[in-house]
Amino acid sequence: MIDLLLFLVFWIILSILGEIGVSVWGPHFYYYTASTQALEGLNASLFLFRVLTPIFVFVVLMIIFVPTRFKAKRDGSIIPGKRARTNRAYVGIWITVSIVINLLFFLHPTTSAAEEQFNQLQPAANTHDLIVDVTARQWEWRFGYPQYGVNAAVDPAGNDVLYLPVGKKVEFVLRSYDFNHPYDMGLDVIHGFWIPAFGEKEDVIPGETRYEVITPNVITSTEVNPMVRVQCSEVCGPGHPVMYAAVHVVSMKDFLQWVHAQHKAGN
Amino acid sequence: MELSRSQQKVSTRPPVERELETRKAFGAFVIFLFSMSVPYFVMINVRYIMVAGFVPSTVDQTTGVIETILMVLSGLTALAASRALKGNNAKLYRTNGILTMILGGLATLMLIWEWWFHPFDPMSHYGETFLTTIGLCVFMHLVGLGVLMAANMRMKRVGITEANALGYRLNNVFWMFIVVTWVAMWLQLYFI
Amino acid sequence: MATAVSTSPEYPVKRPMPPVIRGLLWAAIGFLVVNVFISYVIDPLKGNPFITQPSVVLGWTAGLIGWLLGVGGWEEIILPAFGIMNKRPVTATGWRQYFGLSLHHKVVGIQYLVSSTGGFFIAGLAAMLMRLELMSPHMWLFPDPGQYLMTVGIHGTIMMFSVGTVALVGGMGNFLIPQMIGSNSSAFPKISSISVWLVPAGILTVAFSPLLGQWTTGWRGYEPLAQNDANGILFYYLGVFALTTSSLLVSLNLTATILFKRAKGLTWNRLPMFAWGMLVVSLLNIIWLPEIQMTFVMALLDRLVPFPFFTAVGSPLTYLEIFWLFGHPEVYIIVLPALTIWMEIIPVMVRKPLFAREWGVIGVIFVMMLSGFVWAHHMFTNITLQEELPFSFFTEMISIPTGFAYMVVIGTMWRSNFKLTVPSLLVLMSMFNFLIGGLTGVFNADPVVDLQLHDTFWVVGHFHFTIIGGMVFTWLAAMYYWLPKFSGRTYNSKLGVLGAIWVFVGFDGAFSLMFLVGMEGMNRWVPIYPPYLQPLNIAISIFAFILGAGFLFNLLHIWWAMRSGKKVEQNPWKSKSLEWMATSASLDDNFKEEPLVVASFYEYDDDKPAAIIPQQEVAASLS
């Protein structure tokens, strides 16, 4: 009984310390966030950290507690006396708790976040979105703004670039084909559209169209933090590591100005 | 040498225990057959994912029916050969085995014929599950024919002993398995 | 049996060419003949180029058949099948047994372990090269990114198919299972004797795939990228085909052995936990390995013919689906034997009965069954939203039966008489690491978080924690624990503890930092990355080199211990399991007489033996 009590005391103390650690360090888990979707992911993972910390502490403490507390004192191979073969309470609690926690995780954050994502993709919720056509090929990203008549946005140096207005929902339309070789449109590979600071990625699959909805919530750019960059996340051949593009999240005014400049440049 | 010793052990054991050993080996063989059926399931799956219930207009139903009749007949002769083992009838086993090989060989030749002359379009994925499934069947049929041939030559050289009777039976069971998979593939590819 | 050469006088003693050399020769002949035939006779281009896709695939197949026949398949399998019995070669003795076909399960197990270890260090070398390259954000070690990606692919493929699925199943399984269930041989010794020779062939095929050109897909062979790659990808398909065939044959044999070769009295309630592990793993192999083989045949045809199965005009997602349909059970194939080895080692080390044994069995069986329902959690970024939820559900649920392994081991350790030895230390380390692997997996199971984690170094850290942490640490524990079974000798405790701590520090340092670097925006398959990620990568690389050296140290230590470690009695751990009653360190029959099992193997609160061997006083050694 004293063993159990001692263990419980350690477990509670260390779990509390762990939870404090989660509070302090947890919000930095995503390092840098620049969209509401990244914040949702961060909140979901903070919830997971909160629940998982006592479990982690429990097992790790067991791994340390048992060899120190129950260290073999005698060398004999047989310890006389009937030893526990099972314990209904322990097994029952273990199984119940693991089922309850997993069901909880499925309800929240899994299903609750999925519901949120469903809502974001509802047509009714997307009437005034900014639509960005994202085309991936080996090995280049191209960004088009059909609502503004921009086919392929490039910066003055001629590199593909992604400009987004802050606080406005953006719907990325993701397709993979080689726009430079229209005679073999079909022949490209799977790419991954990822902006680390936006907290979401979606694969770009040849022959299919995928959508991703993002609401940038901070004015930022690749120069401010390199996590704000478009990075191909799915291996797509030798050019995969260099398949990235700069991202600028700007105010609506600056965005319109940029669109104007793109028109002038004939993009 | 391990095996030869255990074989000696088998032959000296009482019949009940030997029967048990035979059943165990047969059970293990069924597990093997189950494993061998997985590629067929994959092909059925892929066909449904990619082309749903598409039966190419170019498949020759007559050839399919004749193949299937030949295969079913060869399954029956394989069964008869298997029965012949119970009476220790080596001659009957071989006769039936040769019949199985002739019928099965004819069916396989027809299968290869069909496979070779089936229209092929490198841009359409409709016909290709057909070609691949038929190719899988041809491969398995050839393996099965090889196994039957081995059994036949073994019978000629060694004959039936208590220790090796099961091997002969399993060779025929493998062919019956191939017959069953072919019938299933035929229904799937030509009708559904 | 080592010395008992059964040469009948009527067949003259002649020693043929050493099997391995003859295998290589026949393989070379097979390859050349078929390749020349295809590329000169059939190909309209008449041998220019000499190696074409069809010629190399068919040539390789002929080479593999030549290799298998040459190492002894011709005399042992083919000729007897046709009834020609009188050309058996002289049975090899001494060290020669290990370099040819052997019907002895211990020899086969050791052959598997050696091949697997070879694969582990070849793939490990690839990992060291990768870490060296990643110390700089620019290309410096490899001339171009494609070669780096090919190294990644070779590392993953060899580790997965020649170590992960092989070491504990083909190696420990073949070596231990017949002893553990009181048998002198496996059910079909011929199957294992030939299947082991597929492993070196497969490893070499993958390792030499660069000969045919760069392939950049990593171990998953993702389509349609695989169609764009150079021909090296062919050797990926073919090598994996050889390796999976080997595991498939072993699994058939082990299943039959466990089902049908058990000693009298070894009921299902008394079946050792490791045998349970082998049984469920074998069932997984029997179902999923033919599945991936068929998938790879289709991918191969996609290139050779070409069929448009998985290109953009076909359906790339179909490949991903059927690849992961195998791919996730694969990780349970790797880790389930490890979980059951914990349950073997811990009761012996803590001198307490195995706690809640039935829940341990239920756990592995449910993991086996659920593992087929979770595959698409590798595809949250590929599939649509409504497809995510069921896979998320099953992925979260599979942690319940996996957790039973912890419940059983912790219950066994609680209030026990814990002996901290090298095996038990390594089991504890394995539990710690696999726990991290499992808990980080909870984040991956949640789609909204996974959309950030997927394809980053977080995932690299996660699956290395499950596979190295779960399986490789347990493999080390098993090697130290069963070392006396191999050689009758034991390891040096101090060196063993040093080795365990060494790999633990290297491993946890390297892979826990990978979680951080992944969260900071480092994605997978990139030899070139933004410079802000360099400091963490340098730290990871340094820990990785420590880890690599640690594995080498453990290898040398185990090798030294087998040759000249301290000699120990037959049952040094005072275990009740049957394998410790069998002969050790020799290739004699395991049991002179069939043992009779009379009690559970995990009852450490009395000194009654769990099994009786008639006319032998082996049981006395337990007291």
Side-chain angles (χ1 to χ4, degrees):
Chain A
M1 206 61 199
I2 185 82
D3 298 324
L4 194 62
L5 225 61
L6 199 64
F7 181 83
L8 283 177
V9 170
F10 273 129
W11 181 38
I12 290 166
I13 293 173
L14 288 173
S15 293
I16 291 169
L17 287 177
E19 294 292 354
I20 294 171
V22 170
S23 303
V24 174
W25 171 80
H28 304 293
F29 178 53
Y30 271 35
Y31 279 91
Y32 184 77
T33 55
S35 79
T36 52
Q37 283 73 16
L39 289 177
E40 279 164 28
L42 180 61
N43 287 336
S45 38
L46 273 177
F47 181 79
L48 296 178
F49 270 119
R50 288 245 174 271
V51 182
L52 292 178
T53 298
I55 299 173
F56 179 72
V57 170
F58 178 85
V59 178
V60 174
L61 182 61
M62 270 293 176
I63 290 173
I64 298 163
F65 187 81
V66 164
T68 44
R69 177 88 186 158
F70 306 123
K71 195 167 186 264
K73 292 177 190 86
R74 278 167 302 172
D75 214 24
S77 65
I78 297 302
I79 314 301
K82 208 79 180 145
R83 313 302 297 268
R85 268 164 192 74
T86 188
N87 181 323
R88 207 173 272 187
Y90 167 79
V91 172
I93 291 173
W94 184 294
I95 293 172
T96 318
V97 167
S98 60
I99 290 175
V100 166
I101 289 179
N102 278 293
L103 287 176
L104 170 72
F105 282 168
F106 182 65
L107 292 175
H108 178 80
T110 302
T111 311
S112 56
E115 197 183 359
E116 185 59 31
Q117 284 177 310
F118 275 124
N119 289 338
Q120 286 174 358
L121 283 175
Q122 288 290 317
N126 294 315
T127 41
H128 298 294
D129 289 355
L130 172 69
I131 291 176
V132 180
D133 283 336
V134 178
T135 314
R137 70 173 191 107
Q138 281 174 317
W139 294 276
E140 184 189 353
W141 293 105
R142 194 170 74 169
F143 307 102
Y145 297 78
Q147 290 149 321
Y148 295 96
V150 177
N151 277 332
V154 292
D155 64 9
N159 295 319
D160 294 283
V161 69
L162 178 65
Y163 265 76
L164 299 170
V166 72
K168 189 163 171 67
K169 201 150 89 174
V170 188
E171 188 181 321
F172 294 105
V173 182
L174 310 165
R175 288 178 302 166
S176 167
Y177 63 87
D178 194 340
F179 37 81
N180 290 342
H181 300 99
Y183 48 85
D184 56 21
M185 279 284 194
L187 300 181
D188 216 284
V189 303
I190 301 178
H191 300 275
F193 178 69
W194 184 38
I195 298 164
F198 287 178
E200 250 187 69
K201 64 174 71 68
E202 188 70 33
D203 279 7
V204 194
I205 304 155
E208 314 234 353
T209 305
R210 290 277 186 264
Y211 303 91
E212 183 180 306
V213 176
I214 290 286
T215 316
N217 62 354
V218 189
I219 292 187
T220 179
S221 72
T222 309
E223 288 78 47
V224 174
N225 190 310
M227 280 183 75
V228 191
R229 68 179 194 277
V230 177
Q231 172 79 56
C232 180
S233 61
E234 188 60 73
V235 64
C236 57
H240 166 65
V242 291
M243 194 169 157
Y244 55 75
V247 180
H248 295 262
V249 182
V250 294
S251 67
M252 198 61 199
K253 200 174 129 235
D254 290 347
F255 177 72
L256 292 174
Q257 225 163 31
W258 173 80
V259 167
H260 188 65
Q262 288 288 313
H263 283 151
K264 255 188 169 170
N267 297 328
Chain B
M1 62 196 138
E2 190 82 340
L3 194 73
S4 56
R5 186 166 50 238
S6 63
Q7 276 170 353
Q8 285 156 15
K9 225 177 246 174
V10 168
S11 52
T12 53
R13 280 182 176 181
V16 180
E17 212 157 304
R18 204 171 59 238
E19 177 62 26
L20 200 66
E21 290 290 321
T22 309
R23 279 194 190 175
K24 284 177 173 180
F26 195 79
F29 193 71
V30 169
I31 297 172
F32 165 72
L33 291 184
F34 170 68
S35 196
M36 288 295 100
S37 70
V38 171
Y40 293 98
F41 282 113
V42 174
M43 283 318 301
I44 294 174
N45 236 321
V46 168
R47 178 164 177 263
Y48 277 92
I49 295 172
M50 296 185 67
V51 297
F54 177 83
V55 179
S57 61
T58 45
V59 302
D60 186 357
Q61 293 287 358
T62 326
T63 322
V65 171
I66 297 173
E67 276 161 16
T68 311
I69 291 172
L70 287 173
M71 285 303 283
V72 171
L73 286 177
S74 76
L76 293 177
T77 50
L79 189 66
S82 197
R83 288 273 159 81
L85 286 171
K86 279 189 183 149
N88 270 340
N89 194 337
K91 208 173 161 202
L92 191 60
Y93 179 89
R94 289 197 61 209
T95 320
N96 272 311
I98 289 165
L99 265 178
T100 312
M101 279 193 282
I102 291 171
L103 291 166
L106 274 177
T108 311
L109 278 179
M110 289 182 76
L111 216 57
I112 295 173
W113 168 274
E114 185 160 12
W115 184 64
W116 192 257
F117 288 101
H118 186 82
F120 160 65
D121 170 12
M123 277 297 136
S124 141
H125 58 248
Y126 288 103
E128 280 53 48
T129 47
F130 179 82
L131 284 173
T132 316
T133 316
I134 296 281
L136 172 68
C137 290
V138 168
F139 177 77
M140 293 296 275
H141 285 208
L142 291 177
V143 172
L145 287 174
V147 165
L148 284 176
M149 193 153 86
N152 225 282
M153 291 172 74
R154 194 161 75 237
M155 185 62 93
K156 190 174 152 198
R157 292 201 170 96
V158 186
I160 307 177
T161 64
E162 267 181 3
N164 71 7
L166 181 70
Y168 291 119
R169 199 172 133 212
L170 295 186
N171 289 2
N172 283 339
V173 172
F174 186 67
W175 183 259
M176 285 184 247
F177 164 77
I178 285 172
V179 172
V180 170
T181 54
W182 167 253
V183 172
M185 290 301 115
W186 173 65
L187 290 174
Q188 195 239 161
L189 288 174
Y190 286 75
F191 293 106
I192 306 173
Chain C
M1 199 165 86
T3 49
V5 183
S6 55
T7 21
S8 311
E10 59 260 43
Y11 310 126
V13 176
K14 56 164 188 172
R15 199 177 284 289
M17 206 185 291
V20 174
I21 297 190
R22 196 179 65 162
L24 287 172
L25 191 68
W26 288 21
I29 293 171
F31 176 80
L32 282 176
V33 168
V34 171
N35 192 70
V36 165
F37 178 72
I38 305 275
S39 68
Y40 275 96
V41 181
I42 293 184
D43 196 318
L45 294 174
K46 298 290 171 226
N48 186 28
F50 178 58
I51 302 265
T52 61
Q53 292 199 37
S55 81
V56 80
V57 169
L58 295 172
W60 178 89
T61 311
L64 184 77
I65 292 170
W67 162 250
L68 291 179
L69 296 180
V71 290
W74 179 245
E75 286 86 0
E76 293 289 339
I77 313 256
I78 299 297
L79 289 183
F82 283 85
I84 306 165
M85 297 294 196
N86 57 359
K87 285 197 177 158
R88 286 168 64 98
V90 177
T91 308
T93 54
W95 59 269
R96 280 197 177 83
Q97 293 177 87
Y98 295 93
F99 292 90
L101 240 56
S102 170
L103 296 177
H104 197 290
H105 72 94
K106 285 186 188 171
V107 176
V108 172
I110 290 169
Q111 286 170 335
Y112 261 112
L113 282 172
V114 170
S115 300
S116 225
T117 310
F120 184 77
F121 280 92
I122 291 172
L125 184 69
M128 294 296 107
L129 293 176
M130 280 144 61
R131 281 323 314 177
L132 209 56
E133 168 63 50
L134 288 175
M135 289 179 87
S136 156
H138 312 289
M139 299 304 306
W140 70 278
L141 180 68
F142 292 97
D144 72 272
Q147 298 189 334
Y148 170 84
L149 291 173
M150 190 165 54
T151 313
V152 175
I154 290 173
H155 165 78
T157 310
I158 295 185
M159 281 294 187
M160 275 286 175
F161 294 106
S162 84
V163 181
T165 39
V166 170
L168 293 184
V169 184
M172 294 315 247
N174 265 314
F175 186 83
L176 287 175
I177 286 296
Q179 309 186 48
M180 277 187 157
I181 62 168
S183 165
N184 280 336
S185 82
S186 56
F188 304 108
K190 277 191 181 182
I191 290 185
S192 286
S193 74
I194 192 79
S195 72
V196 69
W197 291 102
L198 284 161
V199 178
I203 293 175
L204 291 178
T205 306
V206 178
F208 284 107
S209 59
L211 287 177
L212 292 188
Q214 269 176 24
W215 52 289
T216 57
T217 58
W219 82 280
R220 312 161 309 165
Y222 258 24
E223 301 283 0
L225 180 60
Q227 305 301 320
N228 292 10
D229 275 341
N231 290 346
I233 193 84
L234 294 175
F235 271 179
Y236 159 78
Y237 294 131
L238 296 172
V240 171
F241 196 86
L243 292 169
T244 44
T245 307
S246 174
S247 290
L248 176 61
L249 295 174
V250 165
S251 295
L252 288 166
N253 189 11
L254 285 178
T255 313
T257 308
I258 294 168
L259 289 179
F260 304 128
K261 298 286 278 185
R262 280 171 290 142
K264 283 205 180 64
L266 187 51
T267 59
W268 288 102
N269 275 330
R270 291 173 182 159
L271 192 66
M273 295 310 288
F274 184 60
W276 271 112
M278 283 297 115
L279 189 62
V280 293
V281 163
S282 298
L283 290 176
L284 282 176
N285 276 338
I286 284 169
I287 297 169
W288 298 115
L289 292 180
E291 194 266 346
I292 194 64
Q293 289 182 332
M294 195 61 219
T295 306
F296 279 4
V297 166
M298 289 176 75
L300 200 61
L301 293 174
D302 221 335
R303 282 187 72 94
L304 289 185
V305 179
F307 284 150
F309 288 126
F310 308 130
T311 51
V313 292
S315 163
L317 279 185
T318 302
Y319 176 84
L320 271 60
E321 299 271 5
I322 52 184
F323 177 82
W324 287 118
L325 193 53
F326 147 83
H328 203 79
E330 161 77 9
V331 305
Y332 290 102
I333 289 168
I334 292 172
V335 92
L336 279 178
L339 300 185
T340 52
I341 286 177
W342 297 354
M343 300 179 212
E344 285 292 335
I345 295 180
I346 285 298
V348 180
M349 293 297 164
V350 305
R351 314 311 302 173
K352 198 172 153 242
L354 184 63
F355 180 88
R357 177 184 178 280
E358 65 277 18
W359 286 102
V361 175
I362 291 170
V364 291
I365 290 175
F366 270 80
V367 170
M368 175 192 89
M369 297 201 295
L370 281 175
S371 69
F373 293 88
V374 298
W375 78 89
H377 67 214
H378 297 266
M379 299 172 59
F380 283 157
T381 58
N382 303 100
I383 55 181
T384 54
L385 265 178
Q386 51 269 46
E387 290 164 332
E388 287 171 2
L389 282 184
F391 294 103
S392 185
F393 178 76
F394 283 117
T395 307
E396 280 158 7
M397 289 307 135
I398 204 167
S399 69
I400 299 170
T402 317
F404 289 175
Y406 280 89
M407 178 177 81
V408 169
V409 175
I410 287 176
T412 311
M413 295 195 303
W414 183 254
R415 305 201 59 180
S416 64
N417 202 30
F418 196 97
K419 265 191 216 139
L420 198 61
T421 56
V422 177
S424 61
L425 178 66
L426 279 162
V427 168
L428 291 182
M429 287 173 172
S430 183
M431 287 173 71
F432 175 80
N433 291 330
F434 188 68
L435 176 74
I436 295 181
L439 293 185
T440 51
V442 175
F443 294 83
N444 291 101
D446 192 44
V448 69
V449 187
D450 183 66
L451 290 182
Q452 173 72 338
L453 308 179
H454 183 82
D455 279 346
T456 66
F457 261 66
W458 167 283
V459 173
V460 181
H462 159 71
F463 70 72
H464 281 93
F465 262 96
T466 56
I467 291 175
I468 298 186
M471 181 255 169
V472 177
F473 273 80
T474 306
W475 183 20
L476 277 177
M479 287 311 291
Y480 283 115
Y481 176 71
W482 279 297
L483 215 141
K485 289 294 323 161
F486 288 93
S487 65
R489 294 167 187 274
T490 193
Y491 57 87
N492 176 307
S493 291
K494 283 194 181 120
L495 290 178
V497 171
L498 174 68
I501 292 175
W502 191 341
V503 290
F504 184 79
V505 168
F507 171 76
D508 280 72
F511 290 94
S512 56
L513 289 178
M514 280 191 191
F515 293 124
L516 298 183
V517 79
M519 292 315 295
E520 212 178 350
M522 171 107 177
N523 60 314
R524 296 172 68 180
W525 307 293
V526 280
I528 303 165
Y529 53 85
Y532 75 100
L533 296 166
Q534 193 183 13
L536 268 175
N537 269 303
I538 289 179
I540 293 173
S541 290
I542 290 169
F543 278 115
F545 300 142
I546 294 174
L547 178 63
F551 281 131
L552 206 58
F553 173 81
N554 277 287
L555 174 75
L556 293 176
H557 178 213
I558 290 171
W559 185 66
W560 166 85
M562 279 189 184
R563 294 181 60 87
S564 37
K566 201 178 75 183
K567 279 201 169 155
V568 286
E569 56 187 301
Q570 188 182 5
N571 186 359
W573 305 111
K574 309 271 185 271
S575 164
K576 284 192 175 187
S577 298
L578 257 182
E579 80 268 21
W580 294 105
M581 293 188 193
T583 50
S584 284
S586 84
L587 296 180
D588 293 341
D589 277 356
N590 296 331
F591 304 97
K592 299 269 176 331
E593 296 286 327
E594 192 183 323
L596 175 68
V597 180
V598 293
S600 158
F601 297 122
Y602 304 107
E603 305 283 333
Y604 288 103
D605 48 8
D606 57 41
D607 51 4
K608 292 193 212 81
I612 309 165
I613 297 177
Q615 301 155 3
Q616 262 191 330
E617 297 299 316
V618 183
S621 70
L622 194 72
S623 54

